[in-house]
Amino acid sequence: MAKIEISGISKAYTKDVPVLKDLDLTIQSGEMFFLLGPSGCGKSTLLRILAGLVKPDAGIIRFDGEDVTEVPPEKRRAAMVFQNYALWPHLNLFENVAFGLRCLGVKGGELINKVMEALELVRLQDFAKRRPASLSGGQQQRVALARALAVDPPLLLLDEPLSNLDARLRDAMRVEIRRICRLRKLTALYVTHDRQEALSLADRAAVMDNGVIRQMGTPEMLYDFPADRFCAEFLGDVNLIPGRVEQRNLISALGNFNLSHPCRNGNAVGAIRPERLRILPENAPDVPCSFGATITDRTYLGESCLWRCRTALAEVEVRESAGPARKIGDRIRLSFDPEFLLVFPE
Ligand code: ADP
Ligand code: MG
């Protein structure tokens, strides 16, 4: 494991079309760091630059303080796990995992020990003689992980590793990847466009858009206190309330709401996550942060229920853990804790 420092990295594959723009990022030793962003924002490019497979136009990469920007991939030894596993179909699992070690000159008993240890880590030690084609997608991805870990890399790079798996397997593999990273105290950079994956696994994450990092922080910070509207919408559902900020109030068609955080005066959009809205009776007395609404639709989700409500402004969504009986057409009040009203200048 190593501390990874990325400073001032820029990359354009074609002139005048920048893919990464002067990017700075530090990943602490042993940290599981996530890059979260829409398709095409430059995530894979940054991973390839870290692995040494793509040369940046500008900037410096350091592993534990050592400048590795010009170091070729095989000497950097950052291990990569891809979405499509990239296993060799004609080799059995043992040989797939052994490949990188052989390239490093490991042989004999040491080779056998390291391969079997890696296969044990992903719980596939009994499958060493099998070919990849005889395994499920999840098992193949575990082989790819074992192959990456066998060489004891300073940095593990994961590029959307679970995208090809179905939802149930994805959940199981998430837990597995986290267990292995913690056990081995790995420094890992994990790229995904799936916010659930990032929020559930990351020590810290960065939200990327169009070659720049918009915000960096813990999952809780990113979700509850997004830096801008893009981050708010990328990390989860939000209800938007257009309006205007004056003297620390959001003036909107739903009412005037006192802001708990300072915000500059002018046009702005308020944002509240659906689970931060509470449903009260229509005639609830004197609730400061609240507005009237009518229930128009219900989506039952088992552990929670999603209510769509008509307001003076637009439809809003409210997520409520399963509970009270309500019906379409009910008149209600929706209230919120001012701390969770986010406001972004427009
Ligand atoms: P992400 O992984 O976030 O989806 P990528 O890093 O793969 O994004 O791609 C970022 C941008 O760079 C995209 O517009 C993509 O088309 C372009 N791109 C990626 N690889 C190459 C390449 N080898 N040559 C030219 N353009 C590329
Ligand atoms: Mg990609």
Side-chain angles (χ1 to χ4, degrees), residues 75 116 122 170 192 246 261 267 270 278 284 290 301 332 343:
K75 294 242 166 68
M116 291 317 291
V122 299
R170 230 174 11 237
T192 182
E246 272 175 33
H261 315 284
N267 288 340
R278 273 188 311 274
S290 71
L301 297 166
I332 52 171
V343 181

Side-chain angles (χ1 to χ4, degrees), residues 13 19 38-45 48:
Y13 292 102
V19 170
S39 181
C41 75
K43 304 180 299 291
S44 296
T45 299
R48 287 192 208 110

Side-chain angles (χ1 to χ4, degrees), residues 160-203:
E160 315 242 8
L162 307 183
S163 306
N164 276 354
L165 305 180
D166 65 44
R168 271 186 61 130
L169 247 156
R170 230 174 11 237
D171 287 349
M173 274 300 284
R174 272 184 205 168
V175 176
E176 195 68 6
I177 288 177
R178 188 172 51 197
R179 177 185 69 83
I180 290 170
C181 286
R182 296 240 164 102
L183 188 73
R184 284 281 189 104
K185 299 190 172 62
L186 288 168
T187 306
L189 180 58
Y190 190 128
V191 156
T192 182
H193 64 270
D194 180 333
R195 67 197 194 206
Q196 297 283 342
E197 214 160 285
L199 292 173
S200 63
L201 291 178
D203 292 320

Side-chain angles (χ1 to χ4, degrees), residues 99-112:
F99 193 88
L101 289 164
R102 287 195 203 276
C103 292
L104 291 172
V106 181
K107 2 182 220 281
E110 192 191 356
L111 179 79
I112 295 173

